[in-house]
């Protein structure tokens, strides 16, 4: 006989007040509902309710991985430093990588990800093209010594990740493995009840994507996304939007110096002249990786993107005040006309057709209007440099982009031969030649997914779990456990539901009805079956649908069949 659980036995220490350590709604709720507890910064224990949900998320992942032929394994969480030295990541990965020696003074790392381990695992034993493709995955704790662990499970130091690695003989094979994983990731999000967008993180040479992040939409998300009704979605820092810029004031006959006292910021300048910010040009001064000075010009209403600037200038930094002075530049009033010749001038591609530029005059409290590239100054290079924003044009269809915030729950990557080459992981191809594997890697934040679900699905009373990941699907709530009509009726419903394979918890605690209602709402079980004295006497119970917010009276005789059918229906969206 399938059994039901008793709330009095479930270790879920609830909190009445919002814990001071939490900012995010989902983090507060995880703590208040007694689902997680913090051991130290970024280190959490998962209590029974959270663990039940986590296991369900893992089951969904396993089912979807098995369905595409990926095989589950488990490798050690600890990785010998030598493997990371082979790929150069031992020194490059940064402080997130926790390194430690063992008693023999041999160095190890706590795996923050496992490309090296998986590549090492197959490099001497996966030998022939005939054995390919192979995709292996695991679900395991990862450790990253995050600089700012925060928001509970969102950014932990130890967290649960599903990571998969594919090994193919050809680029086309890698593409196919990648596409399969990407499709599976979309289904996993959907089955977990997440509203998520696949966002292009990186695109390849032929225009297709080579990395996609799945972003659960939430205002509290750390990622900033632009998306379009046509289906386009990208990180705002990766998107190459078409940006409409306005011409600045002035005449096309020639530039003119104008007095603009106290207008060191674009905001002040636009306000002073009564023009839109996009009619101005912002000047950014930086030193590129080679140590050369660069003036980067961007539309006044857009920001320079670090990632794009990194691609263009290598390891760059914005000029310090001393460096500005060295080039004779006046902060807040910098422009390309009459510039020190040592400075290279680059401008955002969106400005290419614009002929009337409003720029700094390289003199305090003055700007130049009507400056024209090609005539009044040279632009050495036109590059895509800025962060896309709401109302910019969609690169696919030209419509206006929307912006949104998201939580990165998972990411798929095409790695190519990056790891296989540096680690000498080769196979014998059909033509008898040893070739490095074409690899892909695919990660899902399992613990982050749980919190993302809650961030998307809650109200002021608590969590509203979608059925597929709820710790329990149904809570049966007898209002008086000592009553010799109510208790047996509740018990019978719970048994009946359990018998049908429904995951049931009975709130058998001797608490006031108000306390029980609050706790059940807080813990977010999708259905509550409330058994009160009067209802039961009339042959009824009350069925509350936590997500829909509805309450209906249902006859005790019909409840089990009706509710079990409904729950089963909702298990697979
Ligand atoms: P982020 O940009 O949020 O730091 P990432 O891109 O570095 O994440 P990946 O290396 O892509 O992370 O790891 C795969 C998945 O693991 C991520 O999509 C995310 O869901 C999860 N993850 C990464 N770092 C953390 C963390 N510190 N806490 C919880 N989950 C994490
Ligand atoms: Mg990522």
């Amino acid at each position: 006989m399938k059994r039901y659980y008793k709330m009095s036995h479930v270790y879920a220490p609830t909190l009445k007040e919002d814990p001071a350590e939490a900012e995010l709604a989902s983090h507060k709720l995880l703590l208040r509902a007694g689902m997680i507890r913090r051991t130290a910064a970024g280190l959490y224990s998962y209590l029974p309710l959270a663990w039940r949900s986590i296991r369900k998320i893992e089951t969904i992942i396993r089912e979807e991985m098995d369905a595409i032929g990926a095989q589950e394994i488990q490798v050690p969480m600890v990785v010998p430093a030598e493997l990371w030295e082979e790929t150069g990541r031992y020194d490059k990965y940064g402080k997130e990588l926790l390194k430690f020696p063992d008693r023999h003074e041999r160095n190890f790392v706590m795996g923050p990800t496992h490309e090296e381990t998986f590549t090492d695992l197959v490099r001497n034993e996966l030998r022939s093209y005939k054995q390919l493709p192979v995709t292996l995955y695991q679900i395991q704790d990862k450790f990253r010594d995050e600089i700012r662990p925060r928001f509970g499970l969102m950014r932990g130091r130890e967290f649960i990740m599903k990571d998969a690695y594919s090994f193919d003989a050809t680029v086309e094979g890698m593409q196919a493995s990648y596409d399969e994983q990407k499709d599976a990731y979309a289904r996993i999000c959907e089955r977990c009840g997440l509203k998520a967008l696949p966002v292009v993180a990186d695109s390849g040479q032929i225009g297709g994507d080579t990395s996609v992040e799945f972003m659960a939409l939430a205002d509290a998300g750390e990622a900033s996304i632009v998306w379009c009704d046509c289906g386009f979605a990208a990180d705002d820092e990766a998107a190459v939007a078409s940006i409409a810029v306005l011409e600045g004031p002035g005449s096309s006959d020639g530039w003119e110096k104008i007095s603009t006292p106290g207008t060191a910021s674009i905001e002040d300048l636009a306000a002073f002249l009564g023009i839109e910010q996009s009619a101005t040009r912002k000047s950014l001064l930086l030193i590129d990786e080679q140590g050369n000075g660069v003036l980067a010009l961007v539309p006044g209403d857009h920001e320079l993107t670090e990632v794009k600037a990194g691609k263009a200038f290598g390891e760059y930094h914005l000029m310090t005040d001393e460096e500005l002075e060295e080039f004779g530049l006046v902060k807040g009033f910098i422009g390309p006309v009459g510039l020190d010749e040592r400075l290279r001038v680059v401008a955002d591609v969106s400005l290419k057709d614009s002929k009337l530029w409003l720029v700094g005059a390289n003199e305090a409290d003055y700007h130049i209007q009507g400056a024209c590239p090609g005539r009044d100054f040279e632009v050495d290079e036109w590059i895509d440099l800025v962060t896309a924003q709401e109302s910019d044009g969609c690169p696919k269809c030209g419509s206006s982009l929307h912006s949104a915030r998201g939580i990165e729950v998972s990411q798929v990557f095409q790695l190519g031969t990056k790891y296989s080459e540096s680690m000498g992981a080769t196979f014998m191809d059909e033509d008898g030649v040893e070739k490095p594997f074409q690899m892909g890697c695919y990660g899902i934040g399992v613990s982050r997914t749980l919190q993302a679900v809650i961030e998307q699905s809650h109200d002021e009373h608590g969590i509203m779990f979608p059925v597929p990941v709820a710790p329990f699907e149904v809570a049966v709530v007898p209002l008086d456990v000592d009553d010799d009509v109510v208790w047996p009726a509740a018990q019978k419903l719970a048994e009946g539901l359990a018998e049908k394979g429904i995951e049931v918890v009975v709130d058998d605690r001797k608490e006031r009805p108000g306390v029980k209602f609050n706790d059940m709402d807080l813990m977010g079980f999708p259905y509550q079956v409330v058994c009160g004295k009067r209802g039961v006497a009339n042959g009824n119970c009350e069925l509350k649908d936590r997500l829909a917010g509805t309450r209906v009276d249902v006859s005790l005789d019909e409840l089990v069949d009706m509710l079990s059918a409904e729950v089963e229906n909702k298990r697979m969206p």
Side-chain angles (χ1 to χ4, degrees), residues 490-511:
Q491 213 174 4
K492 195 171 163 207
L493 293 178
E495 273 166 16
L497 287 164
E499 202 108 11
K500 294 254 182 195
I502 306 300
E503 295 174 14
V504 189
V505 65
V506 178
D507 195 350
D508 61 331
R509 297 173 307 163
K510 294 190 180 182
E511 293 283 1

Side-chain angles (χ1 to χ4, degrees), residues 547-567:
L547 274 137
T550 53
R551 298 155 175 272
V552 285
D553 283 339
V554 181
S555 124
L556 293 173
D557 298 334
E558 286 166 17
L559 188 276
V560 169
D561 283 344
M562 180 252 199
L563 185 54
S564 56
E566 167 130 1
V567 169

Side-chain angles (χ1 to χ4, degrees), residues 219-233:
D219 290 341
E222 289 181 294
S224 190
I225 305 160
V226 287
W227 61 279
C228 177
D229 300 321
C230 77
F232 170 83

